[in-house]
Amino acid sequence: MPGGDVELAEVRAFLAGVAPFDGLPGALLDSLPRKMTMQYFRRGTAIMAVGRNNDDLYVVRSGAVDVLNQQGRLVDRGGIGTCFGSTTLVRGNPSRFDVTAIEDVLALVLPGATFHAIAAADPGFARFFDSQRASRMSEAAATISAVETVAGVFKSRARDLLRLPASVVSIEATIQETAQRMTADRRSSALVMQGRTLAGIVTDRDLRSRVVAEGLSVTDPVPTIMTPSPVTVDADAVVFEVILEMVTRNINHLPIIEDGTPIGVLTTDDFVRAERDNPLFLTAEIAAQRDVAGIAAVARRLPGLVETLVRQDASADDIGRVVTAVGDAVDRRLILLAEAELGPPPVPYCWVVMGSRARLEQALGADQDNAIVIDDAYDEAAHGEYFRALATFVCDALVESGYPSCPGRIMASNDRLRAPTRVWRQQFDEWMTRPVSDAIMRAGIFFDMRPVHGAVDLYAALSDHVAAVAPQSRLFLGHLSRSAVAIEPPIGFFRGLVVAKAGEHRDTFDIKGGGVRAVVEVARVIALSHGIRAVNTRERLQEAIDAGAMDRSRGEDLREAFEFISYVRLRHQAKQVRSGQVPNNHVRPDDLTDFDQRHLREAFAIVSKAQRTLSHVHSVSFMR
């Protein structure tokens, strides 16, 4: 590391504020600066590339980078404190991602040998990068799914949305001349040119905040109020990347460049006109909201989006992932608003979701299931009020945003569901090693958990513990298995669809309770009994097949049955949205086609067969 003791001390102070280095013992952290080097990368430099070897970990000291997958789609965007390069160190070369400097980047570089030595000495350090790798791979898959599911604007290029040429002024222009040009052209911005070079941009906001509010003279030169060297994108950039650029940087005007020359300016209004209910735009718009009312207004468009996706014949899996992504975006934005109001958290924490949201399978009408895992440094007297206020803010705002309170109070606003890691571990141990049947039935949802915001390593440690202990907890698995097989799919002895005979939902069957839930619980038991870490039901079934825990033919049949049942459920909800009803899970057979009824009967029969197989396995094995 070049420089003297002062620079080394600065590097140490920087690392002490960056995860996961902030969790290292003091002596180990003290030794790191001398083992690292500093490298500079100009904007546009490819730091890592798909198919190329990498043997170092990079930590961004200044600037920003984009991480793209093998299809060239954006997986992550990181600024100061972002770590990259760990995937090749953990899984081996070559790289599966491109990493490009989108600003001038100054990076601290840690050699691979030192990385592995630290990971061996500190399990928390190792878990952090395992979780980061898994998160990026999952995000890449989810992004591909969402992009490939819906056609239209998010397969378009930036140039496709440009409607009119940009308003342009010379760098010698005055503020008044610039405002006059914008007025004549009916534009909300003007590009300031120095010859053929883009020197800056001026917007309506600049005229308000930098001229009127500051009392500047309109005869002053325009460079005094312009934003110099503005961020630009190429005309052939994919539109969803343009949206991410604008959301990440909190800008409303983005110049579009072709062959080095600006050809127009995209604004957020252009995206609204282009496709108001596209899922990627919806999540980006949520991230840009500044208050709960704004988030709620955007989230209320979700039912319309689902109805659109059903009409486009998207799969149930894709729709579930889109609905989940929107819910995650709502959670994250509300949490950030809460932190902005309350201040930074006193100790690290991880906001987790459970149930269908955790499994990436959320449909319409779902209530909220969430909790908080807090660092073991948590002290109730010192920190309790902060996390109580944060949870109350977020859970109340979720209700306002269309996510009802959980009837069973499985919410972070419940004092019992905000706890340090050690308490969560004790609770899971009690469920797994001293199970009580009724308690296990209620606790099943907690075994479908996924981190949404915060210190992911806290969740990872808990997940590691459950995966290690569950396969040996035979009595616990027996209780879970009995719960799974006790669910009765709505199919009779002669394969007729069984409906409720009385009550509010007379002449309907519960497609969630008797179909979706049955497969979810069967897959959960199999996953936990074989140490499978996947939470998504389809992934659990596929990993069980690959591990030999399920017969391939039967496993694939069950997976396809789950897809069909889930799709009919979503189509039922979309129809309710079109007719102005509140979406539910109660389907009337008379509303289904003969084709749907026939295939639903077959799907429910497959589920029943899987339950009988699980019942036999649990009676032979789990109770030994």
Side-chain angles (χ1 to χ4, degrees):
M1 169 71 68
D5 290 341
V6 172
E7 185 174 359
L8 292 173
E10 289 177 352
V11 171
R12 189 207 182 280
F14 171 77
L15 292 174
V18 173
F21 300 94
D22 57 354
L24 294 177
L28 188 53
L29 185 61
D30 291 342
S31 69
L32 278 185
R34 294 186 183 278
K35 298 176 180 178
M36 305 179 86
T37 59
M38 190 88 76
Q39 289 190 27
Y40 171 76
F41 303 95
R42 291 187 61 82
R43 178 181 177 181
T45 301
I47 305 173
M48 290 176 56
V50 171
R52 215 166 66 191
N53 288 355
N54 168 70
D55 299 307
D56 299 309
L57 179 75
Y58 296 83
V59 186
V60 177
R61 181 81 185 270
S62 64
V65 298
D66 273 353
V67 181
L68 293 88
N69 63 16
Q70 296 178 66
Q71 288 74 35
R73 295 192 174 95
L74 188 67
V75 173
D76 196 8
R77 168 162 294 158
I80 296 172
T82 295
C83 300
F84 60 93
S86 63
T87 301
T88 58
L89 298 177
V90 173
R91 295 191 61 183
N93 281 309
S95 174
R96 297 158 181 80
F97 299 95
D98 290 325
V99 181
T100 304
I102 57 173
E103 299 175 359
D104 289 353
V105 169
L106 196 62
L108 293 166
V109 184
L110 183 70
T114 306
F115 172 92
H116 290 299
I118 299 172
D122 191 282
F125 184 90
R127 281 197 303 270
F128 175 91
F129 289 106
D130 276 341
S131 299
Q132 183 190 63
R133 175 188 57 77
S135 174
R136 281 184 176 159
M137 294 298 289
S138 174
E139 192 70 28
T143 299
I144 292 169
S145 173
V147 171
E148 292 180 350
T149 295
V150 287
V153 64
F154 285 87
K155 287 188 177 179
S156 301
R157 306 290 171 175
R159 67 169 74 251
D160 298 329
L161 292 191
L162 286 176
R163 299 179 301 117
L164 299 167
S167 187
V168 176
V169 297
S170 166
I171 198 168
E172 285 84 20
T174 64
I175 294 173
Q176 183 175 40
E177 290 168 341
T178 302
Q180 290 171 338
R181 171 49 55 197
M182 290 166 61
T183 301
D185 293 342
R186 304 181 76 173
R187 303 287 190 277
S188 59
S189 65
L191 300 181
V192 182
M193 302 295 293
Q194 186 167 17
R196 296 177 58 85
T197 302
L198 176 62
I201 186 172
V202 174
T203 68
D204 282 341
R205 180 181 295 178
D206 296 327
L207 295 176
R208 292 195 307 272
S209 62
R210 298 181 180 179
V211 180
V212 178
E214 297 295 329
L216 294 184
S217 169
V218 295
T219 60
D220 286 351
V222 72
T224 59
I225 65 163
M226 75 180 185
T227 298
S229 304
V231 176
T232 64
V233 297
D234 189 86
D236 287 320
V238 178
V239 167
F240 92 95
E241 294 175 350
V242 177
I243 289 178
L244 289 176
E245 185 79 45
M246 296 176 76
V247 169
T248 302
R249 297 177 180 275
N250 193 28
I251 55 178
N252 296 314
H253 296 78
L254 190 62
I256 307 303
I257 304 297
E258 182 176 46
D259 297 329
T261 301
I263 60 172
V265 178
L266 282 181
T267 71
T268 51
D269 288 343
D270 294 317
F271 302 119
V272 174
R273 279 188 293 269
E275 192 150 343
R276 183 173 175 80
D277 286 326
N278 189 285
L280 287 174
F281 174 73
L282 205 62
T283 55
E285 191 174 356
I286 288 168
Q289 298 305 307
R290 297 178 179 274
D291 54 36
V292 174
I295 294 169
V298 179
R300 282 194 289 270
R301 301 212 305 270
L302 179 59
L305 168 60
V306 170
E307 196 271 333
T308 298
L309 292 174
V310 169
R311 278 193 286 105
Q312 292 177 345
D313 204 27
S315 71
D317 184 40
D318 282 337
I319 296 173
R321 290 175 184 271
V322 167
V323 175
T324 297
V326 172
D328 285 356
V330 171
D331 278 10
R332 291 190 184 104
R333 189 63 189 134
L334 290 175
I335 293 167
L336 290 175
L337 289 180
E339 289 182 352
E341 181 174 302
L342 299 170
V347 293
Y349 75 97
C350 184
W351 183 278
V352 297
V353 292
M354 291 164 290
S356 61
R357 172 86 77 78
R359 298 190 304 270
L360 310 179
E361 296 163 5
Q362 195 162 44
L364 296 176
D367 53 36
Q368 52 179 296
D369 297 306
N370 46 55
I372 299 179
V373 181
I374 313 176
D375 188 272
D376 280 340
Y378 173 79
D379 177 79
E380 172 64 27
H383 310 138
E385 186 53 41
Y386 177 92
F387 288 107
R388 185 174 297 106
L390 182 141
T392 300
F393 178 99
V394 175
C395 291
D396 288 350
L398 281 170
V399 172
E400 186 176 339
S401 301
Y403 297 89
S405 296
C406 173
R409 299 193 65 225
I410 309 297
M411 300 183 296
S413 55
N414 180 342
D415 289 345
R416 296 183 62 186
L417 299 186
R418 299 186 307 275
T421 305
R422 64 179 182 275
V423 174
W424 280 105
R425 184 189 295 254
Q426 291 166 2
Q427 179 62 79
F428 275 98
D429 281 345
E430 183 174 334
W431 285 326
M432 291 186 289
T433 61
R434 297 181 295 279
V436 178
S437 183
D438 290 345
I440 286 299
M441 290 177 64
R442 293 191 299 272
I445 190 174
F446 290 93
F447 291 88
D448 297 349
M449 183 182 284
R450 181 173 59 84
V452 168
H453 175 85
V456 175
D457 58 312
L458 298 176
Y459 159 80
L462 195 59
S463 177
D464 289 347
H465 180 67
V466 172
V469 175
Q472 284 74 49
S473 305
R474 314 310 290 176
L475 185 58
F476 157 74
L477 293 171
H479 283 304
L480 275 189
S481 181
R482 280 194 296 273
S483 174
V485 301
I487 300 169
E488 295 186 9
I491 186 172
F493 183 78
F494 295 105
R495 291 202 174 189
L497 293 173
V498 176
V499 298
K501 302 301 182 185
E504 178 185 359
H505 302 297
R506 179 181 176 180
D507 296 329
T508 69
F509 63 90
D510 184 353
I511 195 167
K512 176 186 177 183
V516 172
R517 182 179 158 219
V519 183
V520 164
E521 295 209 10
V522 167
R524 180 190 297 140
V525 174
I526 296 171
L528 290 172
S529 63
H530 290 83
I532 293 171
R533 295 171 179 267
V535 176
N536 175 265
T537 300
R538 292 165 186 81
E539 292 174 5
R540 279 173 165 170
L541 294 174
Q542 186 59 55
E543 291 193 30
I545 293 168
D546 293 342
M550 290 188 76
D551 173 79
R552 179 167 296 277
S553 177
R554 291 183 180 181
E556 290 176 351
D557 284 348
L558 185 59
R559 196 179 60 209
E560 291 173 6
F562 183 65
E563 167 65 30
F564 186 76
I565 294 168
S566 300
Y567 181 76
V568 173
R569 176 195 183 195
L570 285 165
R571 199 175 60 193
H572 162 72
Q573 293 184 337
K575 183 179 179 180
Q576 290 180 307
V577 169
R578 283 197 300 274
S579 60
Q581 301 176 54
V582 177
N584 62 33
N585 298 295
H586 301 280
V587 179
R588 189 179 300 275
D590 291 347
D591 293 339
L592 300 173
T593 65
D594 289 343
F595 175 91
D596 287 342
Q597 290 192 41
R598 184 169 65 253
H599 283 78
L600 269 180
R601 288 195 294 268
E602 183 62 31
F604 289 139
I606 291 171
V607 175
S608 293
K609 186 180 297 184
Q611 289 176 307
R612 289 194 298 272
T613 301
L614 183 64
S615 178
H616 174 71
V617 170
H618 113 275
S619 65
V620 171
S621 175
F622 291 167
M623 302 304 292
R624 289 185 300 193

